[in-house]
Amino acid sequence: MSVATQQFTLRQANQAFLAQPRKMLIDGKWVAAASGKTFAVFDPGTGREIAQVAAADKADIDLAVAAARRAFTNKAWAGMKACDRERLLNRLADLVEANADELAELESLDNGKSVNLARYVDVVAAVDCLRYMAGWPTKIEGSTIPVSVPYMPDAKFFAYTMREPVGVVGQIIPWNFPLLMAAWKLAPALATGCTVVLKPAEQTPLSALRLGELVLEAGYPAGVVNICPGFGETAGAALAAHPDVDKVAFTGSTEVGKLIVQAALGNLKKVSLELGGKSPAIVLPDADMDIAIPGAAMAIFFNQGQVCCAGSRLYVHKSIFDKVVDGVAGVAKGFTVGHGLSPSTQMGPLVSEEQALRVASYIEDGLKSGVEAVTGGRRLDQPGYFVEPTVLVKVKPEMKVVKEEIFGPVVVAMPFDDLDEVVTQANNTIYGLGASIWTRDLGKMHRLAPALKAGTVWVNCHSVIDAALPFGGFKQSGWGRELGREAIDLYMERKSVCAMV
Ligand code: NAP
Ligand code: MG
């Protein structure tokens, strides 16, 4: 592992963006918090403050929800022709693309991830998600249904279903892919005609606020998109509990997901949840090592391991265990670790001091209970929130490092003997978000894929996500599926119309 030291200068547009305290977007205008409060945003690569951002609280959420309600009921959005909604979604995609370099830099600075990753994964995927969802408004259909009503023998009916947007939607997102998560949330909701109040994570509000500027530039009607940065316990909780919000869509930890469900009880708003994971990567003895070793490494180390579906439990057949573990450790040792804006950086810092402490304490806890670090195992002794990419072995199934989501660059590797055993171990978790199988044996692949309790099973790849492919969790990894046509369903009601003719 080497450490990047290069210096960097921010683009002028981003310097200007960060120079002013950033306001929140309510009803088409940038406004300060009703309380006047702001909070600090930090550069994870140095720990230095980079911006002040308006801190939304209940009063601001009330205003934003009222604006979203007006924009929903005045039909400025839901009543707009489907082809015009498509055009506006495409316009937003074009604007994000036109500002891709600037957005990537802002994202890297705010989150810590490498600027190349931000540019060629986060921004590219956000544009793609907006474009994919832009295709839907003109394709949302109901169906005609042959209604028999056997207890009314002489009556005839014409019955059909139609789709309607669910209404005002509260959306709460995490910090690991801030812009992309905003796109995953906004794009399908807007495609259906819903209006939105979005709360980005307190650690990473900047790209969502820049996206808000692009929403205005694209010409969306006032109140359709409202963006309220703030803390989870205040702004987030007020949004999830709000009696005039029809649906809450949440991405974040399973722990907070349960609070969202409780908060939603008051008005029984619809809830969709994308939560945590502890996803297995399973390497069979016949796997192509040139694919499986770097693949298993990137399954965990991509985005510093801060990926909900990260392959954080690595199960390797015992005949190739040492080879694969040494190979994955070798990939980890080869990373250039450094500030996200340094072009040579392959692995950046974690998002926050809190997250670095949390990840380091998981590693420490493991090492104390007899776990061995093949590589890594320490927080780096330098400014910023850097934790070494870490491979742990000699773990036991009941250990915290095996059971709990660490959400950092830490993988636990375990040997297995046969397929039934690895299925039992892989499914021995409260989570069920992703799983990967590394093999050239089609028969084994087809035995494993249906046996694994996960929303997505990848074969010879991991964390491959596409706007057209539904994504979400079994068990405590969530409710509902984002992306694909399922994402449209999340934001729509289905109405049955039954006419006696
Ligand atoms: P988190 O602590 O659960 O926070 C997620 C969001 O919820 C943030 O905006 C947070 O606000 C807000 N929040 C916190 N407490 C709240 C409350 N009481 N009421 C309403 N909102 C509240 O998660 P995180 O640490 O940011 O993100 C990491 C987690 O997200 C991991 O568990 C990861 O697996 C999961 N994740 C899942 C997916 C998926 O698609 N399944 C994708 C990405 C991440 P503040 O940050 O301002 O406190
Ligand atoms: Mg938080």
Side-chain angles (χ1 to χ4, degrees), residues 364-420:
E364 209 181 297
D365 182 78
L367 295 176
K368 270 194 209 136
S369 25
V371 166
E372 197 178 290
V374 181
T375 187
R378 290 176 314 128
R379 179 164 180 183
L380 290 187
D381 186 17
Q382 67 178 68
Y385 317 132
F386 295 92
V387 175
E388 289 179 321
T390 299
V391 179
L392 300 177
V393 293
K394 304 206 170 135
V395 296
K396 299 200 176 65
E398 65 281 3
M399 287 178 170
K400 270 173 67 172
V401 284
V402 178
K403 289 177 85 112
E404 296 182 17
E405 182 183 47
I406 298 175
F407 220 57
V410 183
V411 65
V412 289
M414 292 157 281
F416 70 88
D417 227 341
D418 64 61
L419 284 196
D420 290 340

Side-chain angles (χ1 to χ4, degrees), residues 64-329:
V65 171
R69 175 59 62 195
R70 280 193 301 277
F72 186 70
T73 47
N74 72 14
K75 301 273 190 240
W77 185 241
M80 187 184 275
K81 279 191 175 180
C83 62
D84 292 331
R85 274 212 311 279
E86 287 196 356
R87 227 168 272 141
L88 270 176
L89 275 160
N90 274 319
R91 197 175 296 161
L92 185 58
D94 292 347
L95 284 171
V96 172
E97 195 168 54
N99 292 278
D101 292 332
E102 177 202 318
L103 276 163
E105 185 184 83
L106 196 61
E107 194 76 318
S108 166
L109 182 66
D110 200 6
N111 168 279
K113 66 179 71 200
S114 92
V115 67
N116 289 323
L117 177 71
R119 174 68 184 82
Y120 297 105
V121 177
D122 297 62
V123 176
V124 166
V127 170
D128 191 55
C129 178
L130 286 162
R131 293 215 170 109
Y132 171 86
M133 294 299 168
W136 271 106
T138 51
K139 293 154 199 88
I140 295 168
E141 302 168 331
S143 41
T144 55
I145 297 177
V147 165
S148 305
V149 198
Y151 52 86
M152 296 174 74
D154 298 327
K156 285 198 166 51
F157 297 91
F158 180 70
Y160 60 94
T161 58
M162 54 191 292
R163 317 291 310 275
E164 290 179 12
V166 73
V168 173
V169 180
Q171 302 185 317
I172 301 174
I173 55 174
W175 44 256
N176 56 345
F177 292 90
L179 179 72
L180 184 57
M181 291 297 109
W184 280 30
K185 290 281 181 283
L186 288 176
L190 295 176
T192 61
C194 288
T195 58
V196 174
V197 178
L198 175 77
K199 193 205 86 68
E202 93 213 19
Q203 298 86 348
T204 55
L206 299 177
S207 55
L209 294 174
R210 180 70 187 110
L211 185 66
E213 292 186 341
L214 300 178
V215 165
L216 293 188
E217 191 177 332
Y220 283 71
V224 170
V225 176
N226 305 274
I227 302 179
C228 298
F231 297 100
E233 297 75 7
T234 51
L239 189 55
H242 203 289
D244 202 30
V245 169
D246 300 300
K247 177 199 161 67
V248 60
F250 172 80
T251 297
S253 60
T254 293
E255 190 189 346
V256 175
K258 291 178 184 178
L259 297 178
I260 299 290
V261 171
Q262 282 169 2
L265 276 179
N267 69 338
L268 281 182
K269 58 175 66 68
K270 311 287 183 261
V271 179
S272 54
L273 303 168
E274 293 286 0
L275 307 176
K278 189 78 180 176
S279 300
I282 302 170
V283 187
L284 302 190
D286 67 280
D288 180 339
M289 289 297 130
D290 292 341
I291 294 174
I293 289 173
M298 290 321 290
I300 180 64
F301 297 129
F302 173 64
N303 207 42
Q304 292 74 245
Q306 301 166 137
V307 178
C308 51
C309 52
S312 49
R313 291 181 295 146
L314 176 60
Y315 293 101
V316 185
H317 190 265
K318 64 178 187 188
S319 63
I320 50 166
F321 185 75
D322 289 344
K323 186 179 166 97
V324 172
V325 168
D326 288 347
V328 170

